[in-house]
Amino acid sequence: MSQPVLSIVGVSKSFRQGRTSLKVLDGITLEVGEEFVAILGPSGCGKTTLLRIIAGLERPDEGQIVIHSKEPRVGFIFQFPTLLPWLTVVDNVALPLRANGMGWEEARERARKYLSLVGLQAFEDFYPRELSGGMKQRVNIARALAVEPIILLMDEPFSNLDPLTAEALRTEILDLWTLKVTSVRAIVMVTHNVDEAIFMADKLVILTPRPARVRGVIEVGLPRPRDRRSAEFQKLEDKVYELLSA
């Protein structure tokens, strides 16, 4: 592995439910280099909570997150495209930049750059209601990239799209990643889709049922573009399912 971009060190997290405490993460330790990592595990095991802790949206009870960069910016692509309906596409992408103190003119100029990367330069003056689901998610991707993050976090970003749109967006994300046309040095994606994880990621992290611990780490090691019908791909799929059901 290359030099670490992200270190997750002994992260634990519990949530209060009345008088009881529900532990969801239990001592998660993981290093992420300049690579694409997919996190898999049973529903409710804390995968999204872990992403939110990496992003700084939640605080761990124990442990720490270390981003090895002088400018530790993180982009987050949510499962649903959380766009503001009263703002145009370009202003939705520019909004996080404005929140960080950038002027509107500069923020819109950068937003246009990333809208162009995801093929939406002709839709900058449209409103979210005028877009398809796939186009809304492209806006979501452009907004995450516009902050020029070191780490890109993705929480099941294709799960609410039709199969053809989802496949097109997977390919586009992989193209942006492999061509290195953005600032992103590491991607961490949560998914329930084993096929998607093997198709996209360099490394798979398998979590146990709640409270989540790391059950196993699998290096994919297959050249891109990957053939889902190959014996190697199928073998990896069997190995992941074996770990998930253990």
Side-chain angles (χ1 to χ4, degrees):
M1 188 183 75
S2 58
Q3 289 297 313
V5 177
L6 167 70
S7 296
I8 303 169
V9 186
V11 166
S12 296
K13 179 71 177 179
S14 298
F15 291 104
R16 297 291 301 179
Q17 286 190 330
R19 295 182 179 181
T20 63
S21 180
L22 179 69
K23 193 163 195 175
V24 293
L25 300 174
D26 186 13
I28 301 289
T29 294
L30 181 68
E31 288 217 333
V32 178
E34 293 188 354
E35 58 190 338
F36 191 135
V37 175
I39 298 177
L40 299 115
S43 292
C45 75
K47 300 183 295 296
T48 295
T49 298
L50 181 58
L51 278 197
R52 290 176 61 84
I53 289 172
I54 295 169
L57 301 174
E58 300 266 3
R59 297 186 65 177
D61 298 332
E62 299 174 22
Q64 61 178 329
I65 301 293
V66 181
I67 299 174
H68 302 278
S69 173
K70 292 179 181 178
E71 298 182 7
R73 291 185 298 271
V74 175
F76 204 133
I77 300 174
F78 296 92
Q79 186 173 358
F80 298 97
T82 52
L83 306 178
L84 298 180
W86 59 88
L87 292 181
T88 61
V89 163
V90 71
D91 285 348
N92 263 289
V93 176
L95 192 62
L97 305 174
R98 286 286 296 133
N100 287 332
M102 189 179 287
W104 268 119
E105 187 175 346
E106 185 182 358
R108 285 184 178 126
E109 194 59 37
R110 189 188 289 183
R112 290 184 184 103
K113 171 186 173 182
Y114 287 97
L115 284 170
S116 178
L117 274 184
V118 298
L120 288 182
Q121 61 269 36
F123 295 88
E124 64 175 71
D125 294 324
F126 282 52
Y127 287 88
R129 66 179 178 273
E130 299 172 307
L131 305 178
S132 68
M135 292 168 78
K136 288 177 185 177
Q137 195 62 322
R138 281 188 171 86
V139 178
N140 210 13
I141 293 166
R143 185 173 57 184
L145 294 175
V147 300
E148 299 191 339
I150 301 301
I151 299 168
L152 181 63
L153 305 176
M154 302 197 295
D155 186 11
E156 297 193 69
F158 316 111
S159 61
N160 290 294
L161 303 172
D162 67 85
L164 287 177
T165 302
E167 190 65 9
L169 276 180
R170 288 185 194 107
T171 301
E172 288 179 30
I173 289 282
L174 280 174
D175 286 345
L176 291 173
W177 168 246
T178 55
L179 294 172
K180 300 188 183 300
V181 294
T182 71
S183 59
V184 177
R185 292 173 53 207
I187 297 177
V188 181
M189 176 178 72
V190 159
T191 181
H192 284 98
N193 188 326
V194 173
D195 177 276
E196 176 179 273
I198 298 170
F199 182 72
M200 298 190 76
D202 302 305
K203 183 163 74 181
L204 313 177
V205 178
I206 316 300
L207 301 183
T208 67
R210 188 177 61 237
R213 305 176 183 89
V214 176
R215 172 163 280 161
V217 176
I218 300 172
E219 300 287 343
V220 175
L222 299 179
R224 295 187 177 98
R226 292 175 182 161
D227 180 2
R228 290 179 168 96
R229 295 167 296 181
S230 71
E232 295 85 356
F233 197 102
Q234 296 297 321
K235 192 174 178 181
L236 274 173
E237 207 161 44
D238 290 345
K239 186 174 182 180
V240 173
Y241 278 117
E242 185 179 328
L243 281 172
L244 285 171
S245 59

Coordinates of all heavy atoms in Angstrom, one line a residue, residues 9-41:
V9 N -8.4 4.8 13.8 CA -7.6 4.2 14.9 C -8.6 3.9 16.1 O -9.0 4.9 16.8 CB -6.5 5.1 15.4 CG1 -5.6 4.4 16.4 CG2 -5.6 5.5 14.2
G10 N -8.9 2.7 16.3 CA -9.7 2.2 17.5 C -11.0 3.0 17.6 O -11.4 3.3 18.8
V11 N -11.8 3.2 16.6 CA -13.0 4.0 16.6 C -14.2 3.1 17.1 O -14.5 2.1 16.6 CB -13.3 4.6 15.3 CG1 -14.8 5.1 15.2 CG2 -12.4 5.7 14.9
S12 N -14.8 3.6 18.2 CA -16.0 3.0 18.8 C -17.1 4.1 18.9 O -16.8 5.3 19.1 CB -15.7 2.4 20.2 OG -14.8 1.3 20.1
K13 N -18.3 3.6 18.8 CA -19.4 4.6 18.9 C -20.7 3.9 19.4 O -21.0 2.8 19.0 CB -19.7 5.1 17.5 CG -20.9 6.1 17.4 CD -20.6 7.4 18.1 CE -21.7 8.4 18.0 NZ -21.4 9.7 18.7
S14 N -21.3 4.5 20.3 CA -22.6 4.0 20.9 C -23.7 5.1 20.8 O -23.3 6.3 20.8 CB -22.5 3.6 22.3 OG -21.6 2.5 22.5
F15 N -24.9 4.7 20.7 CA -26.0 5.6 20.7 C -26.9 5.3 21.9 O -27.2 4.2 22.2 CB -26.8 5.5 19.4 CG -26.1 6.1 18.2 CD1 -25.6 5.2 17.2 CD2 -25.9 7.4 18.0 CE1 -24.9 5.6 16.1 CE2 -25.2 7.9 16.8 CZ -24.7 7.0 15.9
R16 N -27.5 6.4 22.5 CA -28.4 6.2 23.6 C -29.8 5.9 23.1 O -30.3 6.5 22.2 CB -28.4 7.4 24.5 CG -27.1 7.8 25.1 CD -26.7 6.8 26.2 NE -27.6 6.7 27.3 CZ -27.5 5.9 28.3 NH1 -26.4 5.1 28.4 NH2 -28.4 5.9 29.3
Q17 N -30.4 4.9 23.7 CA -31.8 4.6 23.5 C -32.5 4.5 24.8 O -32.5 3.5 25.5 CB -32.0 3.3 22.7 CG -31.6 3.4 21.2 CD -32.0 2.1 20.5 OE1 -32.1 1.0 21.1 NE2 -32.3 2.3 19.2
G18 N -33.1 5.7 25.2 CA -33.7 5.7 26.6 C -32.6 5.6 27.6 O -31.6 6.3 27.6
R19 N -32.8 4.6 28.4 CA -31.8 4.3 29.5 C -30.7 3.3 29.1 O -29.8 3.0 29.8 CB -32.5 3.8 30.7 CG -33.4 4.7 31.4 CD -34.1 4.1 32.6 NE -35.0 5.1 33.3 CZ -35.6 4.8 34.4 NH1 -35.5 3.6 35.0 NH2 -36.5 5.7 34.9
T20 N -30.8 2.8 27.9 CA -29.8 1.8 27.4 C -28.9 2.5 26.4 O -29.2 3.5 25.8 CB -30.5 0.6 26.8 OG1 -31.3 1.0 25.6 CG2 -31.5 0.0 27.8
S21 N -27.8 1.8 26.1 CA -26.8 2.3 25.1 C -26.6 1.2 24.1 O -26.5 0.0 24.4 CB -25.5 2.5 25.8 OG -24.5 3.0 24.9
L22 N -26.7 1.6 22.8 CA -26.6 0.7 21.7 C -25.2 0.9 21.0 O -25.0 1.9 20.4 CB -27.7 0.9 20.7 CG -27.7 0.0 19.5 CD1 -28.0 -1.5 19.9 CD2 -28.7 0.4 18.4
K23 N -24.3 -0.1 21.1 CA -23.0 0.0 20.6 C -23.1 -0.4 19.1 O -23.5 -1.5 18.8 CB -22.0 -0.8 21.3 CG -20.5 -0.5 21.0 CD -19.6 -1.0 22.0 CE -18.2 -0.4 21.9 NZ -17.3 -0.8 22.9
V24 N -22.6 0.5 18.2 CA -22.6 0.2 16.8 C -21.2 -0.1 16.2 O -21.1 -0.8 15.2 CB -23.4 1.3 16.0 CG1 -24.8 1.3 16.3 CG2 -22.7 2.7 16.2
L25 N -20.2 0.6 16.7 CA -18.9 0.4 16.2 C -18.0 0.0 17.4 O -18.1 0.6 18.5 CB -18.3 1.7 15.6 CG -19.0 2.2 14.4 CD1 -18.4 3.5 13.9 CD2 -19.0 1.2 13.2
D26 N -17.1 -1.0 17.2 CA -16.3 -1.5 18.3 C -14.9 -1.6 17.9 O -14.4 -2.7 17.4 CB -16.9 -2.8 18.8 CG -16.2 -3.3 20.1 OD1 -15.5 -2.6 20.7 OD2 -16.4 -4.5 20.4
G27 N -14.1 -0.6 18.1 CA -12.6 -0.6 17.9 C -12.2 -0.8 16.4 O -11.4 -1.6 16.1
I28 N -12.9 0.0 15.5 CA -12.5 -0.1 14.1 C -11.2 0.5 13.9 O -10.9 1.7 14.2 CB -13.6 0.6 13.2 CG1 -15.0 0.0 13.4 CG2 -13.2 0.6 11.8 CD1 -15.1 -1.4 12.9
T29 N -10.2 -0.3 13.3 CA -8.9 0.2 12.9 C -8.7 -0.1 11.5 O -8.8 -1.3 11.1 CB -7.8 -0.4 13.9 OG1 -8.0 0.1 15.2 CG2 -6.4 0.0 13.4
L30 N -8.3 0.9 10.7 CA -8.1 0.7 9.3 C -7.2 1.8 8.7 O -7.3 2.9 9.1 CB -9.5 0.7 8.6 CG -9.5 0.4 7.1 CD1 -9.1 -1.0 6.8 CD2 -10.9 0.8 6.6
E31 N -6.3 1.4 7.8 CA -5.5 2.4 7.1 C -5.9 2.4 5.6 O -6.1 1.3 5.0 CB -4.0 2.1 7.2 CG -3.5 2.4 8.6 CD -2.1 3.1 8.6 OE1 -1.4 2.8 7.6 OE2 -1.8 3.8 9.5
V32 N -6.1 3.6 5.0 CA -6.5 3.7 3.6 C -5.4 4.5 2.9 O -5.1 5.6 3.4 CB -7.8 4.5 3.5 CG1 -8.2 4.7 2.0 CG2 -8.9 3.7 4.2
G33 N -4.8 3.9 1.9 CA -3.8 4.6 1.1 C -4.4 5.3 -0.1 O -5.6 5.7 0.0
E34 N -3.7 5.5 -1.1 CA -4.2 6.1 -2.3 C -4.9 5.0 -3.1 O -4.4 4.5 -4.1 CB -3.1 6.8 -3.1 CG -2.5 8.0 -2.4 CD -1.6 8.8 -3.3 OE1 -1.3 8.4 -4.4 OE2 -1.1 9.9 -2.8
E35 N -6.2 4.8 -2.7 CA -6.9 3.6 -3.2 C -8.4 3.8 -3.0 O -8.8 4.7 -2.3 CB -6.4 2.3 -2.4 CG -6.6 2.4 -0.9 CD -6.0 1.3 -0.2 OE1 -5.7 0.2 -0.8 OE2 -5.8 1.5 1.1
F36 N -9.1 2.9 -3.7 CA -10.6 2.9 -3.6 C -11.0 1.8 -2.7 O -10.7 0.6 -3.0 CB -11.1 2.7 -5.0 CG -12.6 2.9 -5.2 CD1 -13.1 3.6 -6.3 CD2 -13.6 2.4 -4.3 CE1 -14.4 3.8 -6.5 CE2 -14.9 2.6 -4.5 CZ -15.4 3.3 -5.6
V37 N -11.6 2.1 -1.6 CA -12.0 1.1 -0.6 C -13.5 1.0 -0.5 O -14.2 2.0 -0.4 CB -11.4 1.5 0.8 CG1 -11.9 0.5 1.9 CG2 -9.9 1.5 0.8
A38 N -14.0 -0.2 -0.5 CA -15.5 -0.5 -0.3 C -15.7 -1.2 1.0 O -15.0 -2.1 1.4 CB -16.0 -1.3 -1.4
I39 N -16.6 -0.6 1.8 CA -17.0 -1.2 3.1 C -18.3 -1.9 3.0 O -19.3 -1.4 2.5 CB -17.0 -0.1 4.2 CG1 -15.7 0.6 4.3 CG2 -17.5 -0.7 5.5 CD1 -15.7 1.7 5.3
L40 N -18.3 -3.2 3.3 CA -19.5 -4.1 3.3 C -19.8 -4.6 4.7 O -18.9 -4.8 5.5 CB -19.3 -5.2 2.3 CG -19.0 -4.8 0.8 CD1 -17.7 -5.3 0.4 CD2 -20.1 -5.5 -0.1
G41 N -21.0 -4.9 4.9 CA -21.4 -5.5 6.2 C -22.9 -5.6 6.3 O -23.7 -5.0 5.4

